[in-house]
Amino acid sequence: MKLPLLLAAVALPASAVAHESTTPTMKTYGLVIHGGAGVIQRDQMSAELEAQYRATLAEALQAGYAVLESGGAALDAVLAAVRVMEDSPLFNAGKGAVFNADGICELDASIMNGATLQAGAIAGVRRIRNPLQLAREVMEHSPHVMMIGEGAERFAASRGYEFVENEYFHTDFRRAQLERAKKRETRADQGTSSVPLDLSSPGISDDALHFIREEKYGTVGCVALDQAGNLAAGTSTGGMTNKKFGRVGDVPVIGAGTYANNATCAVSATGWGEYFIRANVAHDISAQMEYAAKDINTAAAYTLAKVAKLGGDGGVIALDHDGNVAMDFNSAGMYRGYMFAGRPVVVAIYGDEPRR
Amino acid sequence: MKLPLLLAAVALPASAVAHESTTPTMKTYGLVIHGGAGVIQRDQMSAELEAQYRATLAEALQAGYAVLESGGAALDAVLAAVRVMEDSPLFNAGKGAVFNADGICELDASIMNGATLQAGAIAGVRRIRNPLQLAREVMEHSPHVMMIGEGAERFAASRGYEFVENEYFHTDFRRAQLERAKKRETRADQGTSSVPLDLSSPGISDDALHFIREEKYGTVGCVALDQAGNLAAGTSTGGMTNKKFGRVGDVPVIGAGTYANNATCAVSATGWGEYFIRANVAHDISAQMEYAAKDINTAAAYTLAKVAKLGGDGGVIALDHDGNVAMDFNSAGMYRGYMFAGRPVVVAIYGDEPRR
């Protein structure tokens, strides 16, 4: 099926969007995606860049939906949707990932199968084009759940993966972002702490500024419900600009960045990873459904309030076994969208657009 | 204070042990430790080895209790108790850690402060004598929660840590364990799958056999409650014998191997790490207290039943904010113990000894 371009390229008016989260009367299937949460504001985004984001989000939704529509598995839909975003330079995952302090892209990803509670995660890989695919390989073709660094790449080699050079992931925007982060860090080291990032220098385009602002964010993720009623979740990221010391955020931490359980929900998170680990975001949302019978939107809002109380920000997408959707965040915006049988399609970016 | 040696060296009769888990009438403080769960059976343990385990567990309890008794913080007590077990060759953490498939010890650890929900974790370090101390360093002296591999060691160097050679961790027992695991693996590769480990070969002492049996286990951990009412948890491990590909288990995964929250409980887990990640063991126990008002023993048993249903085994120690203790496991045994103001001291190993 083809998504009408109008839906892909512009935000739908709020009136066209299903706001109720009651149990649908017929079996539904579909997926929810995010492309990162952060300081995403309408007045700081060029029309062209915004259109690119909306088109790529729509493309990712279509790729995942096509799998589900033909009777495919939620896991396959998650992979298909995330791959579009990993392959796009717009998001901080795969191509276009942020640079670490050494000017290298280091990628993390995790996936979970809600039907079996199987999970796979990789952290700190540098030469795998589609990290979420490798996380799935760990889940399905190893006795392990989590592999890190060179070891994970050796596993990939043993499974016949082709490697890309680290340069494949590099983009000029992310390099400018790293340089700015280092400059700010140097000033902070010199005692001028809390110096805001200077975004006024000549020679920096508006679109570059957009990427420079987003130091911690831009993770991508997907949650899906297939026609058999199975849930799956996957998340992929380059982590945090200028990260040091093999820093790993919430993305490869099962229960923090990713969780799926047919009995409750599937969750993929994006935001300031340290706070999302400390609040066990993805599992905390599921636990509220399991132990307190909360609905998915109430649960997501409660967990994000915990994150905010700790001092963190970001967002989540969550999908329960009945197809109810939450796309919630406490940052200014979050790239997001969903596509379900029998529902209006939503592609959204800003804070005043739909969250469920 | 000095623990009477009698208590240290022998298991207490069940009648001397506090079995009730009601709220104590006076403010209590103390700590619970584990030294790993696994196939630990009375008829397969020499009297001498058993005495060594009991003495070292008692020493760890004393070290942590001394901190608490003098008004110190739960976090410091956790560090003190775990350090004794990391420094002992008996446990799979620090000295005496298991070998990976390359014959190298790779260590994981994590810590969490229940008062602030701050957390720190390291995975895959090779030259840090006391990994839990480095996890605390990450928590308190970096903006990050989790660091992996060489990056984590670079952070340690930046904080002035002295490194040990990997050989410091090596023990003959663990080397024999690796060789047996590789031998079994080779046979399985040759189609003779499910071949049990041959433990009958001449030249292997009974004590060596004990270590050979424990391929996946032996993690150490501690949960503590201080006089100010703060909870903390820490866990440290060498992971799984013959592990490949940078495999990481539940220990450095906050919410799986370690969790602490003053509002609920502190938990440290030990067992088949992959299953403990998938079941989000530590956070799942806390979530049941938070969202379903379950007591700590009911919550721990429920979560371990989930692990068993997935096919995994192991155990947990858990301690709530009132000082109620759970030491539960679905393996044959678990090295464990606790020491509290106003309670009998418990040091236990086998399945028929106290679990709370």
Side-chain angles (χ1 to χ4, degrees), chain B residues 118-346:
Chain B
Q118 283 183 293
I122 54 164
V125 302
R126 298 176 170 196
R127 296 183 295 161
I128 304 298
R129 179 178 168 139
N130 291 106
L132 194 66
Q133 179 63 45
L134 182 57
R136 182 183 186 166
E137 199 85 13
V138 171
M139 173 171 75
E140 296 186 342
H141 297 286
S142 90
H144 300 316
V145 167
M146 187 172 191
M147 296 183 185
I148 63 175
E150 281 175 39
E153 295 192 350
R154 280 160 62 191
F155 172 71
S158 79
R159 297 290 307 169
Y161 271 62
E162 283 183 25
F163 287 24
V164 295
E165 294 300 314
N166 199 257
E167 286 67 29
Y168 160 77
F169 302 108
H170 297 188
T171 57
D172 292 342
F173 285 163
R174 298 298 187 188
R175 176 133 1 236
Q177 188 182 39
L178 173 65
E179 283 160 11
R180 290 303 167 117
K182 281 187 177 294
K183 199 174 285 181
R184 186 168 58 168
E185 187 180 57
T186 305
R187 284 194 219 157
D189 283 349
Q190 288 163 357
T192 45
S193 62
S194 308
V195 177
L197 191 57
D198 177 13
L199 296 173
S200 61
S201 313
I204 303 287
S205 74
D206 286 350
D207 287 354
L209 288 180
H210 164 76
F211 288 93
I212 288 168
R213 278 184 207 102
E214 301 298 311
E215 285 181 35
K216 298 191 236 0
Y217 311 101
T219 296
V220 309
C222 177
V223 291
L225 173 65
D226 64 27
Q227 296 192 36
N230 292 315
L231 288 166
T235 315
S236 181
T237 191
M240 186 182 278
T241 296
N242 199 27
K243 66 188 178 186
K244 297 179 187 69
F245 303 133
R247 177 264 186 185
V248 168
D250 62 316
V251 170
V253 176
I254 297 296
T258 303
Y259 187 75
N261 186 339
N262 277 4
T264 53
C265 60
V267 182
S268 171
T270 171
W272 196 335
E274 278 71 13
Y275 295 95
F276 279 63
I277 294 176
R278 292 167 57 194
N280 286 86
V281 166
H283 184 258
D284 195 55
I285 293 171
S286 170
Q288 291 174 69
M289 296 190 68
E290 181 173 359
Y291 298 124
K294 289 199 202 174
D295 71 78
I296 194 135
N297 275 284
T298 306
Y302 186 81
T303 299
L304 284 176
K306 285 183 177 178
V307 171
K309 197 176 164 195
L310 290 173
D313 58 356
V316 296
I317 53 171
L319 172 59
D320 75 12
H321 48 77
D322 290 323
N324 297 303
V325 171
M327 304 187 295
D328 206 358
F329 47 96
N330 58 19
S331 48
M334 179 169 79
Y335 303 103
R336 62 198 186 275
Y338 61 71
M339 189 167 182
F340 279 80
R343 289 198 208 179
V345 176
V346 168

Side-chain angles (χ1 to χ4, degrees), chain A residues 317-332:
Chain A
I317 53 171
L319 172 59
D320 75 14
H321 49 78
D322 290 323
N324 297 304
V325 172
M327 303 188 294
D328 206 358
F329 47 97
N330 59 20
S331 48

Side-chain angles (χ1 to χ4, degrees), chain A residues 102 116-117 143-144 146-148 151 154 245-248 255 259 274 278 280 283-284 288 290-291 306, chain B residues 102 116-117 143-144 146-148 151 154 245-248 255 259 274 278 280 283-284 288 290-291 306:
Chain A
D102 299 324
T116 60
L117 302 182
H144 300 316
M146 187 172 191
M147 298 184 185
I148 63 176
R154 280 160 61 190
F245 304 133
R247 177 265 184 184
V248 168
Y259 187 75
E274 278 70 12
R278 291 167 58 194
N280 286 85
H283 184 259
D284 194 56
Q288 290 173 69
E290 180 173 359
Y291 298 124
K306 285 183 176 177
Chain B
D102 299 323
T116 60
L117 302 182
H144 300 316
M146 187 172 191
M147 296 183 185
I148 63 175
R154 280 160 62 191
F245 303 133
R247 177 264 186 185
V248 168
Y259 187 75
E274 278 71 13
R278 292 167 57 194
N280 286 86
H283 184 258
D284 195 55
Q288 291 174 69
E290 181 173 359
Y291 298 124
K306 285 183 177 178

Side-chain angles (χ1 to χ4, degrees), chain A residues 32 97 136 144 186 295 299 303:
Chain A
V32 192
R136 183 183 185 165
H144 300 316
T186 305
D295 70 79
T303 299

